[in-house]
Amino acid sequence: MPYREPVRTAARRPRSTASSTVRSALGKAHGAVPDPVPVFDDGTPAVANLDPDLLAALREAAADAADDGVEIFVNGGWRSPEYQEQLLREAISKYGSAAEAARWVATPGTSAHVAGEAVDIGPSAARAWLSEHGAGYGLCQIYRNEPWHYELRPEAVEHGCPPMYADPTHDPRMRR
């Protein structure tokens, strides 16, 4: 049976009927990943629309992790701007303010997910494996508060991953 760890994001909180209607309109084609998928799933836009270099590094890491008995799944990847906006609205509702929501969800204009340059990984064994071995593939955890969020940093192969930001509000890319 495939891995199914609950995702702890604004997208997984109980929703109103209005939110559910929008969510169904902005489903898989917009980057939603209702159930974790393997990194080799080319039929899921959240995976297939990732930056090619990120996807190649992720797949190489996943193949090596499998040799160690660890399976890497994608809980989130590429997202459309509309889907990212929906996640942001849900986070504002959940956390009570845009400032607090910004610790967890970026705007469509700043999100690495919208650019296809970020992937959310599970389960915890996969995150632990990437935490130990990811730099060798250029895959780095970017935010201390999001152990599932990885981005490609090719220089990490030789120099190791850069220091993590506490959360996205400390990332200068989020101030565009």
Side-chain angles (χ1 to χ4, degrees), residues 58-99:
L58 183 61
R59 287 178 169 174
E60 184 180 353
D64 291 346
D67 290 343
D68 290 342
V70 175
E71 195 167 4
I72 297 176
F73 285 89
V74 173
N75 295 327
W78 167 85
R79 299 176 186 145
S80 71
E82 297 83 6
Y83 184 57
Q84 186 69 26
E85 181 65 34
Q86 175 63 29
L87 293 175
L88 180 59
R89 283 193 304 268
E90 290 178 4
I92 291 168
S93 177
K94 178 179 181 176
Y95 296 110
S97 72

Side-chain angles (χ1 to χ4, degrees), residues 3-159:
Y3 154 74
R4 295 182 97 141
E5 180 177 294
V7 178
R8 292 170 195 84
T9 67
R12 292 291 181 194
R13 67 179 185 76
R15 297 176 209 102
S16 69
T17 305
S19 179
S20 295
T21 301
V22 172
R23 169 91 41 204
S24 60
L26 299 177
K28 186 176 175 181
H30 283 271
V33 183
D35 296 307
V37 296
V39 301
F40 299 99
D41 183 344
D42 288 328
T44 299
V47 175
N49 292 339
L50 287 172
D51 172 83
D53 293 332
L54 170 60
L55 186 57
L58 183 61
R59 287 178 169 174
E60 184 180 353
D64 291 346
D67 290 343
D68 290 342
V70 175
E71 195 167 4
I72 297 176
F73 285 89
V74 173
N75 295 327
W78 167 85
R79 299 176 186 145
S80 71
E82 297 83 6
Y83 184 57
Q84 186 69 26
E85 181 65 34
Q86 175 63 29
L87 293 175
L88 180 59
R89 283 193 304 268
E90 290 178 4
I92 291 168
S93 177
K94 178 179 181 176
Y95 296 110
S97 72
E100 190 60 24
R103 295 185 61 234
W104 302 99
V105 181
T107 66
T110 61
S111 174
H113 285 283
V114 171
E117 297 173 351
V119 64
D120 295 341
I121 296 300
S124 59
R127 292 190 295 268
W129 193 92
L130 275 179
S131 178
E132 184 177 343
H133 303 285
Y137 305 88
L139 297 170
C140 296
Q141 180 185 340
I142 302 301
Y143 306 118
R144 193 167 314 287
N145 73 326
E146 294 185 5
W148 54 83
H149 181 100
Y150 278 79
E151 296 181 21
L152 184 64
R153 298 291 185 269
E155 66 280 2
V157 173
E158 291 192 23
H159 304 291

